[in-house]
Amino acid sequence: MNFHKFNASFPQVSKVINGILENMEGKDFFTSNFNFSQHTPLVNINQTDEAVFIQVSAPGFEKQDFNIDVTTENITISADVKEEENEQKPNYTFQEFKKVSFKRSFKISKNIDIDNVQASYNNGILHITLPKKETVKVSRNVNVA
């Protein structure tokens, strides 16, 4: 594939763009630098007075693929994907997305009620709710001396 030289009013811009185009010349556009072995799903974490909410972006999974391990110090979210030997695979010309194993861990506060953690999986998002322990609120009147 041949690229046309780029001419701009600014010589530095032309030099940079032409260098990029020259590096691309003759290369297959169906390549990617994405490394599936180091895939880490993206997360959103929100906290209220009542709970911590974690959302994990994990499209293509089934709810039984997930393993959530909660201790008094950490939460570890993982999915282990095993390829089926006899699985019929399409012959892709180019493939960037596929379901891959992952593992993410987060430190959690000691006031998380680990016995009541809940999780659900909807529309490619794993939702985890970590309720906080109820704190005993004691009120008392203080007399000024």
Side-chain angles (χ1 to χ4, degrees):
M1 181 178 289
N2 292 324
F3 292 96
H4 297 288
K5 293 285 184 188
F6 180 81
N7 292 314
S9 301
F10 303 100
Q12 277 96 354
V13 173
S14 295
K15 185 177 180 181
V16 169
I17 292 175
N18 286 328
I20 292 169
L21 293 175
E22 286 171 10
N23 285 334
M24 291 172 56
E25 193 165 355
K27 293 194 177 173
D28 186 0
F29 279 99
F30 297 114
T31 59
S32 176
N33 293 329
F34 190 79
N35 185 349
F36 289 112
S37 64
Q38 297 192 352
H39 177 69
T40 304
L42 302 175
V43 300
N44 292 332
I45 300 175
N46 184 28
Q47 183 171 198
T48 66
D49 291 338
E50 292 79 32
V52 175
F53 303 95
I54 300 174
Q55 295 175 320
V56 181
S57 176
F61 286 85
E62 301 293 328
K63 63 182 178 180
Q64 62 268 17
D65 293 334
F66 298 106
N67 183 37
I68 302 169
D69 183 34
V70 184
T71 68
T72 56
E73 297 177 1
N74 296 318
I75 180 169
T76 301
I77 307 156
S78 62
D80 190 23
V81 177
K82 302 203 182 344
E83 280 194 45
E84 298 292 326
E85 290 181 29
N86 298 326
E87 183 179 331
Q88 194 68 281
K89 296 178 185 173
N91 186 15
Y92 290 109
T93 301
F94 182 65
Q95 181 182 12
E96 275 194 339
F97 66 87
K98 69 181 199 178
K99 188 166 72 169
V100 295
S101 299
F102 69 86
K103 185 175 188 177
R104 297 255 352 225
S105 293
F106 301 95
K107 288 198 174 287
I108 60 173
S109 169
K110 298 217 183 288
N111 71 339
I112 296 296
D113 183 0
I114 65 173
D115 293 326
N116 291 307
V117 173
Q118 296 179 349
S120 64
Y121 181 65
N122 298 311
N123 297 324
I125 306 291
L126 176 64
H127 300 267
I128 303 169
T129 302
L130 302 155
K132 294 181 179 178
K133 294 177 185 174
E134 300 243 357
T135 56
V136 178
K137 295 181 182 176
V138 179
S139 72
R140 76 174 216 204
N141 291 325
V142 177
N143 294 324
V144 179

